[in-house]
Amino acid sequence: MHERINAGGNVSMVRNFVLLGFSDLPELQGFLSGVFTIIYLIILIGNSLIITITILDPALQRPMYFFLANFSSLEICYISVTLPRILFDLWTQKRNISVLGCAMQLCFFLMLGTTESFLLSVMSYDRYVAICHPLRYPLLMNPKKCAQLAAASWLAPVPVQIGQTCQIFSLHFCKSNQIPHFFCDIPPILQLACGDTSAHELSVYVVVMLVAAVPFMLILASYSKIVSTILRLPTAQGRAKAFSTCSSHLLVVVLFFASASLAYLRPKSSHSAGTDKLLSLLYAIVTPMFNPLIYSLRNKDVIVALRKLFLNYTVP
């Protein structure tokens, strides 16, 4: 159903939106459905395995892996906000979503995305303390401190993103009810709003700077200290080991922040449905799929723990 409201006349409230998604590719609906189903299974299985081994393996009862388990739990929640809805639309071709449903999807997506930003910065702080202050590491990163940092990462985004979602959905939508996207995201929703949205766009920029740019700067500061400390290590083996513990985290940081920043901090004139969808695919779906692979394939402790887990279940 397509609702088009004349902005010059009486503004009528949009009761539902239509997620156009991949409707412009009718011949690829079955293929896309299969691809997204496989991606969802990879994300669920990969992250569930990481959570399992961090709980069961005594060698992984360390702060680094406590935060990794939190991160894997987050990735499962994060992807479950968007992918099941995408699959539902592909399977049923029913693309309607209520305004409340759209607001809830956006709110959870923003909250979990912010949590990811905070958790990545906490994980970089953990690596900074481990490498730059190894003797004080057990004291600075004790179980209570780790639990507090994890809880803050999960809970701090809640009031911020509820407020931002309420602000966005306080707008009147009079241009169309069709969202040229596969989930409810800020840029395509703002494009449907009546009148001047510059104040709302400015608030989005401010929030993104606070919840993404500030953590990213903290991560850069942590890694500048880490790199300078590693380069001063006396042996090449020690330097290689230190770099290997940080490289996977740094790769995840670059993937997430680069794609998310391009999506939200680009000027309005450069926004297009195709570009927005491509960037959203990158940071909302592709990055969560690669994260468990990056952490498992580049971490010897995780590989050993996975081998032990599978051997326990395969050897009678």
Side-chain angles (χ1 to χ4, degrees):
M1 177 185 173
H2 175 76
E3 296 176 10
R4 182 168 290 278
I5 303 98
N6 184 2
N10 294 326
V11 175
S12 61
M13 294 298 292
V14 171
R15 293 184 183 87
N16 60 70
F17 291 110
V18 179
L19 290 166
L20 296 181
F22 303 97
S23 57
D24 56 335
L25 302 169
E27 70 283 358
L28 293 178
Q29 299 296 292
F31 171 75
L32 289 170
S33 175
V35 168
F36 285 127
T37 300
I38 292 168
I39 289 174
Y40 194 34
L41 289 173
I42 289 171
I43 293 168
L44 292 179
I45 294 169
N47 285 293
S48 296
L49 282 172
I50 288 175
I51 295 166
T52 302
I53 60 174
T54 56
I55 293 170
L56 297 180
D57 197 311
L60 302 185
Q61 304 298 310
R62 287 182 275 161
M64 176 181 175
Y65 298 106
F66 168 75
F67 292 124
L68 181 56
N70 269 269
F71 191 74
S72 292
S73 303
L74 171 70
E75 292 293 61
I76 291 172
C77 298
Y78 184 61
I79 201 69
S80 296
V81 173
T82 55
L83 251 184
R85 176 71 211 199
I86 294 169
L87 290 171
F88 174 80
D89 290 343
L90 287 168
W91 291 338
T92 66
Q93 298 299 307
K94 295 177 181 176
R95 305 180 187 279
N96 282 15
I97 184 169
S98 68
V99 172
L100 178 61
C102 189
M104 288 181 65
Q105 185 185 51
L106 176 65
C107 188
F108 278 106
F109 182 76
L110 294 176
M111 285 192 297
L112 294 169
T114 305
T115 297
E116 180 156 349
S117 176
F118 289 176
L119 265 180
L120 287 171
S121 60
V122 167
M123 291 165 81
S124 72
Y125 174 72
D126 171 69
R127 292 297 83 211
Y128 159 74
V129 177
I131 291 171
C132 300
H133 303 283
L135 297 178
R136 298 175 63 198
Y137 184 68
L139 177 65
L140 292 173
M141 299 303 292
N142 59 68
K144 183 180 178 181
K145 180 74 171 289
C146 292
Q148 288 172 341
L149 288 169
S153 298
W154 283 93
L155 297 176
V158 174
V160 176
Q161 298 301 359
I162 287 177
Q164 179 161 251
T165 303
C166 290
Q167 184 186 39
I168 289 168
F169 279 88
S170 67
L171 292 164
H172 292 293
F173 301 99
C174 57
K175 294 180 181 178
S176 168
N177 74 327
Q178 297 193 337
I179 300 175
H181 213 312
F182 49 85
F183 70 96
C184 293
D185 202 0
I186 293 176
I189 290 173
L190 284 180
Q191 288 173 4
L192 302 183
C194 315
D196 184 16
T197 59
S198 55
H200 291 80
E201 288 163 24
L202 179 61
S203 74
V204 170
Y205 277 105
V206 171
V207 171
V208 170
M209 292 300 289
L210 288 173
V211 304
V214 172
F216 184 64
M217 295 303 290
L218 292 173
I219 291 169
L220 286 182
S222 296
Y223 272 98
S224 65
K225 295 279 189 181
I226 288 169
V227 170
S228 65
T229 301
I230 289 174
L231 292 176
R232 291 199 300 268
L233 291 176
T235 64
Q237 185 179 3
R239 290 194 294 271
K241 184 178 180 181
F243 271 123
S244 71
T245 63
C246 298
S247 58
S248 55
H249 178 251
L250 197 55
L251 185 55
V252 170
V253 166
V254 171
L255 280 172
F256 175 74
F257 281 102
S259 54
S261 298
L262 282 171
Y264 288 104
L265 296 178
R266 288 179 301 138
K268 188 178 179 180
S269 57
S270 66
H271 280 278
S272 69
T275 308
D276 286 345
K277 280 196 280 190
L278 186 62
L279 287 170
S280 296
L281 275 174
L282 188 60
Y283 72 80
I285 294 172
V286 175
T287 301
M289 179 181 69
F290 281 118
N291 285 349
L293 297 174
I294 291 169
Y295 276 114
S296 59
L297 295 177
R298 297 183 63 84
N299 189 303
K300 291 179 181 177
D301 291 338
V302 172
I303 292 171
V304 169
L306 285 170
R307 282 177 181 161
K308 282 162 61 177
L309 179 69
F310 287 122
L311 284 171
N312 286 341
Y313 280 99
T314 55
V315 177

